[in-house]
Amino acid sequence: MTPAAATLETANPAADTVRELQARIRSMQATTLDSRALPTHPALAALLPGGALQQGAAYSVERSATLLMALLAGPSAAGSWCGIVGVPEFGIEAASRFGIDLDRLVLVPHPGDQWLAVTAAIADVMGVVVTRPPKRASDSSVARLAARLRQRGSTLIVLGPWPQSEAMLTLSQSDWGGIGEGSGHLTERQVTVTVTNRVTGRPRSARMWLPDRQEHFGAVASAVDERMAERQLRTAV
């Protein structure tokens, strides 16, 4: 910048006002972007693109009603209404144990051929909508639903593949515990949850309880974490 230009900018009283307005706009934009993140369990947030479920976005879950409930628990507990379309076996007792508020849960178990229209209608009024497509939707239908999600700020979770999903969540390496030598009953399950980012194609995986003995969902502590917790306990004693 030349001395003349620097003097002109300093002499112009509107320059400070413009810079102040620009800073306020940037601050408001950051707040708006942050507000688009839905409350998400930390164990899943660490794997998801952007560190949370996002309003206006779609996600795919492969063959796991329990993982679906873990995804719904955070938004539901924070006050979001959730709609479940085309999943008649969705268990409300299990959902309640995972922390899903049944007073803000709407079930449409048998939408028939109107599943896409029902999904879109629920997305108009609820924060999170879950659907299981009985058949592949056309590209134009997917595009219209994506536009509606962005407009309404609703989040779509699809059981199965979906063309415009932000990420696919899958389970593998499922190990149950609780049965002793010929007696007992299943009380806990460890699984590997993998989230594959649509943009980068890179998967992220973590070992999780789904659920633990207290019927809670969470990350499985590593051996290092367990040793640190033991040392902290000994120090406290």
Side-chain angles (χ1 to χ4, degrees):
M1 181 180 293
T2 64
T7 303
L8 179 61
E9 180 176 312
T10 303
N12 184 1
D16 291 339
T17 302
V18 170
R19 284 194 293 271
E20 180 182 352
L21 287 173
Q22 289 173 335
R24 290 178 61 185
I25 290 171
R26 285 193 294 269
S27 175
M28 292 172 64
Q29 287 176 334
T31 302
T32 302
L33 290 173
D34 290 343
S35 69
R36 294 184 66 81
L38 290 174
T40 310
H41 193 286
L44 288 171
L47 303 178
L48 290 167
L53 291 171
Q54 302 294 325
Q55 294 177 345
Y59 300 85
S60 297
V61 175
E62 186 181 37
R63 300 189 307 273
S64 177
T66 310
L67 181 56
L68 169 63
M69 293 178 187
L71 277 174
L72 293 177
S76 177
S80 293
W81 279 78
C82 301
I84 314 294
V85 179
V87 191
E89 72 275 16
F90 187 86
I92 59 175
E93 292 184 5
S96 179
R97 291 196 297 269
F98 265 86
I100 297 172
D101 188 346
L102 301 185
D103 289 335
R104 290 192 292 269
L105 180 68
V106 174
L107 304 178
V108 186
H110 301 288
D113 293 337
Q114 300 301 313
W115 67 272
L116 192 56
V118 173
T119 299
I122 288 183
D124 278 345
V125 295
M126 296 188 182
V128 183
V129 56
V130 175
T131 191
R132 183 169 60 192
K135 60 181 180 180
R136 186 184 182 278
S138 66
D139 292 341
S140 59
S141 297
V142 171
R144 286 195 296 270
L145 181 56
R148 181 169 293 191
L149 293 172
R150 290 191 296 269
Q151 181 183 18
R152 302 298 186 184
S154 300
T155 300
L156 176 67
I157 300 176
V158 181
L159 286 172
W162 188 251
Q164 295 189 5
S165 62
E166 293 296 314
M168 166 69 84
L169 291 85
T170 60
L171 291 187
S172 61
Q173 298 177 330
S174 178
D175 298 314
W176 285 93
I179 295 181
E181 296 182 3
S183 63
H185 58 277
L186 298 174
T187 58
E188 59 194 19
R189 180 171 66 148
Q190 284 191 24
V191 299
T192 297
V193 177
T194 300
V195 177
T196 304
N197 189 315
R198 174 179 64 87
V199 176
T200 65
R202 296 176 181 174
R204 291 182 178 180
S205 298
R207 199 69 177 159
M208 300 183 188
W209 293 108
L210 198 65
D212 62 14
R213 294 195 177 199
Q214 287 73 44
E215 297 187 343
H216 296 156
F217 168 72
V220 175
S222 66
V224 174
D225 294 334
E226 291 175 352
R227 287 196 296 271
M228 290 180 62
E230 290 175 1
R231 282 198 293 269
Q232 292 172 353
L233 180 60
R234 287 196 297 269
T235 302
V237 174

